[in-house]
């Protein structure tokens, strides 16, 4: 649904999109309030099935217990991504039982690939430093899985939080204290803020993609690129 190059945090379905949705048998969503527009679909007599791929995943709260404070970035943890794949394959199998074997065997092949990715990240980062600075709060699940500590320039779950002079001062002080020399930016946000911090600490800017914006690259290649950049920063 979300066009290439568009941030899902900002996206709203058009009338045409809504018509497409109404005709569909299934909508597959990340869940955890990531698709803020989904409630309007729930209430508009949608007859199909909404598949929430976050089912069965233990969620991180940022501060309080309301749903908006839940971190939706489960896909950045390849272990959780495997559970999302299972949820998708099971929903397709239920909806189209004739082709169940096809869905399940494809899912198994892909889960094996994600297993290899998970092992590679674990092995490659196991002997490295653990503190890194990223743009927004996207890598909590990833960090928890691989024993890292994420520090953020803006603390919000989406990348539109405000960068104040105080925010900059705090993160520069953190970088100096922890001897961090790489500041991560995202491909969807301006690298200007990260560059200001990097200049201040005599460091450099690399990209750590939250994989929120559709591109021609696939999940494994994007995550492998993230790993290479993390290795440069931490190892």
């Amino acid at each position: 649904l979300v066009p290439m190059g568009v941030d899902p945090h900002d996206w709203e379905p058009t009338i045409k999109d809504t018509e497409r949705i109404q005709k569909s048998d299934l909508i597959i969503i990340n869940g955890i309030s990531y698709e803020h527009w989904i409630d309007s679909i729930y209430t508009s007599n949608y007859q199909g099935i909404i598949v929430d791929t976050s089912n069965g995943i233990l969620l991180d709260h940022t501060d309080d217990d309301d749903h908006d404070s839940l971190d939706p970035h489960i896909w950045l943890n390849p272990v959780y991504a495997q559970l999302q794949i299972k949820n998708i394959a099971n929903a397709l199998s239920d909806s189209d039982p004739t082709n169940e074997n096809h869905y399940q065997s494809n899912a198994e092949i892909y889960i094996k690939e994600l297993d290899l990715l998970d092992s590679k990240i674990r092995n490659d980062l196991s002997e490295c430093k653990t503190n890194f600075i990223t743009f927004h709060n996207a890598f909590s699940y990833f960090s928890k899985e691989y024993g890292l500590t994420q520090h953020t320039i803006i603390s919000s779950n989406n990348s539109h939080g405000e960068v104040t002079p105080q925010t900059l001062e705090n993160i520069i002080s953190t970088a100096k204290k922890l001897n961090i020399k790489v500041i991560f930016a995202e491909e969807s946000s301006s690298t200007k803020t990260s560059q200001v911090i990097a200049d201040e600490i005599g460091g450099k800017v690399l990209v750590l993609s939250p994989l929120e914006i559709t591109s021609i690259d696939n999940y494994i290649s994007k995550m492998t690129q993230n790993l290479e950049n993390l290795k440069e920063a931490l190892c």
Side-chain angles (χ1 to χ4, degrees):
L1 281 167
V2 184
M4 198 173 280
V6 174
D7 187 335
H9 288 293
D10 302 332
W11 185 79
E12 297 280 348
T14 61
I15 292 168
K16 204 174 212 164
D17 292 324
T18 308
E19 285 169 0
R20 283 176 66 205
I21 288 167
Q22 293 296 355
K23 287 178 188 159
S24 70
D25 301 319
L26 289 177
I27 306 174
I28 296 171
I29 63 169
N30 181 73
I32 324 168
S33 297
Y34 189 58
E35 295 85 359
H36 56 89
W37 47 267
I38 200 75
D39 290 343
S40 64
I41 303 295
Y42 271 123
T43 53
S44 68
N45 301 321
Y46 174 61
Q47 299 298 305
I49 294 163
I50 295 177
V51 182
D52 185 335
T53 63
S54 71
N55 279 342
I57 290 174
L58 196 63
L59 305 179
D60 274 354
H61 292 259
T62 47
D63 35 42
D64 46 34
D65 274 0
D66 70 56
H67 214 59
D68 289 338
S69 75
L70 287 168
D71 179 359
H73 299 88
I74 48 176
W75 66 88
L76 289 171
N77 175 347
V79 176
Y80 284 173
Q82 293 177 44
L83 294 172
Q84 290 184 281
I85 299 293
K86 283 178 186 161
N87 285 338
I88 293 168
N90 291 342
L92 290 169
S93 300
D94 291 346
S95 177
D96 177 22
T98 315
N99 292 305
E100 179 176 1
N101 288 348
H102 179 68
Y103 301 126
Q104 295 296 341
S105 63
N106 275 351
E108 274 168 38
I109 291 164
Y110 196 53
I111 284 167
K112 284 198 180 90
E113 289 181 35
L114 292 179
D115 249 340
L116 289 173
L117 174 68
D118 169 50
S119 301
K120 183 169 171 54
I121 296 169
R122 234 172 262 286
N123 295 336
D124 286 8
L125 295 178
S126 63
E127 302 295 317
C128 304
K129 291 182 291 189
T130 57
N131 289 285
F132 67 100
I133 293 174
T134 187
F135 189 68
H136 84 285
N137 182 43
F139 288 87
S140 322
Y141 298 106
F142 180 90
S143 298
K144 196 176 271 186
E145 191 64 52
Y146 301 110
L148 304 176
T149 305
Q150 165 190 247
H151 303 272
T152 57
I153 297 170
I154 56 172
S155 60
S156 67
N157 284 330
N158 75 54
S159 53
H160 301 318
E162 195 191 350
V163 181
T164 63
Q166 188 58 55
T167 312
L168 284 176
E169 208 177 293
N170 292 347
I171 209 74
I172 287 164
S173 147
T174 299
K176 286 178 174 169
K177 192 170 75 191
L178 297 169
N179 195 26
I180 290 171
K181 289 296 180 198
V182 170
I183 305 296
F184 286 110
E186 297 171 7
E187 72 263 86
S188 57
S189 309
S190 164
T191 59
K192 208 163 61 180
T193 307
S194 302
Q195 194 61 60
V196 167
I197 298 162
D199 291 346
E200 196 63 37
I201 60 168
K204 68 192 280 194
V205 174
L206 291 174
V207 169
L208 196 62
S209 172
L211 279 72
E212 291 178 330
I213 290 180
T214 312
S215 73
I216 52 169
D217 298 308
N218 66 36
Y219 177 84
I220 289 178
S221 70
K222 291 284 273 191
M223 288 296 284
T224 305
Q225 187 55 58
N226 277 348
L227 174 60
E228 290 310 311
N229 288 350
L230 274 167
K231 277 159 64 177
E232 188 171 334
L234 301 176
C235 305

